[in-house]
Amino acid sequence: ATSYYVDGVRVSASVPGAELLLSGSGLRTEFRDYGFWVTDLITDNKGEAYFQVTFPDDITQWKTFVLGMDDRKRAGAWYGETAAFKPVLAQLYLPRFLLPGDQIDLVGSSVNYTNDTFQISTQLEVEGVSLLKEKHQLVDGITDEVSYTALEGRDSLTAKYTLQIDNYQDSEERSIPSFKVGTEENIGAFHRL
């Protein structure tokens, strides 16, 4: 079974139109590779268990495998998939790390999965300072790009890409580490420069 969720609200599996944009806005900042839930189970009078799952902000599909056993040692299993979905979304692309003086391209992408066309405003920020503001007509997807030089003396860089349509907003904010040149990396028993 596959379920689609837009800002926590279950929607049909078909690609939605503009009406789903009213479901809310958000800033996505948590991009782990796993979902997490508390294993406290609540069963109803039929013996069915329900639990809450907190997923990271990744727009992706999560495969789920659940095992259960009651006090009589009866076991059961469930398999499923949950897709995180937004009809219109902002995505930010950054390198994995920086060195002082690195010249990088910060790339923001606005994607439209609906059949509608939208007038959007986009903004790309670094450390809270706007480096780019644009207006676009969004049919399928557009890309915004700005060059940036990594500064000396910083241990990380935080960038944010925002898409705005009237009262709807979607944003991604990501931080990347900035290392000094010559920083040692410890991998198992080996050291590498």
Side-chain angles (χ1 to χ4, degrees):
T2 300
S3 300
Y4 291 88
Y5 290 85
V6 179
D7 294 328
V9 178
R10 188 174 184 200
V11 297
S12 69
S14 63
V15 176
E19 65 276 0
L20 286 181
L21 290 177
L22 300 176
S23 66
S25 300
L27 170 64
R28 290 177 279 116
T29 59
E30 183 63 46
F31 301 99
R32 293 175 283 129
D33 291 332
Y34 55 89
F36 175 76
W37 65 86
V38 178
T39 57
D40 295 336
L41 297 179
I42 300 169
T43 58
D44 62 12
N45 58 2
K46 297 177 188 174
E48 295 177 350
Y50 300 91
F51 56 92
Q52 294 280 333
V53 177
T54 302
F55 288 105
D57 293 328
D58 296 321
I59 303 296
T60 188
Q61 188 162 347
W62 301 93
K63 293 184 179 183
T64 306
F65 177 68
V66 178
L67 293 172
M69 182 181 293
D70 66 10
D71 58 356
R72 295 182 193 171
K73 307 245 188 274
R74 294 178 295 189
W78 177 81
Y79 301 88
E81 293 180 349
T82 301
F85 178 82
K86 282 186 162 278
V88 178
L89 69 120
Q91 294 180 301
L92 181 61
Y93 300 95
L94 302 171
R96 293 181 66 191
F97 67 90
L98 295 172
L99 298 175
D102 279 354
Q103 176 101 22
I104 61 170
D105 290 329
L106 303 171
V107 178
S109 175
S110 297
V111 183
N112 179 6
Y113 291 109
T114 74
N115 295 325
D116 298 318
T117 299
F118 300 99
Q119 297 300 318
I120 66 169
S121 300
T122 58
Q123 181 171 314
L124 220 160
E125 302 173 41
V126 172
E127 303 299 340
V129 176
S130 178
L131 300 181
L132 175 87
K133 286 185 178 182
E134 295 289 336
K135 294 197 180 295
H136 302 280
Q137 182 171 329
L138 182 61
V139 178
D140 295 323
I142 58 100
T143 301
D144 289 309
E145 187 175 321
V146 65
S147 292
Y148 182 81
T149 302
L151 302 175
E152 185 79 41
R154 299 185 79 90
D155 62 356
S156 66
L157 171 104
T158 301
K160 178 179 173 184
Y161 182 68
T162 304
L163 168 152
Q164 180 84 39
I165 304 170
D166 298 325
N167 293 327
Y168 173 80
Q169 177 180 303
D170 188 46
S171 303
E172 268 194 15
E173 182 177 271
R174 295 180 182 262
S175 292
I176 54 175
S178 181
F179 300 114
K180 294 179 181 177
V181 175
T183 300
E184 288 188 26
E185 180 183 18
N186 187 0
I187 301 174
F190 300 101
H191 293 278
R192 193 185 326 180
L193 286 179

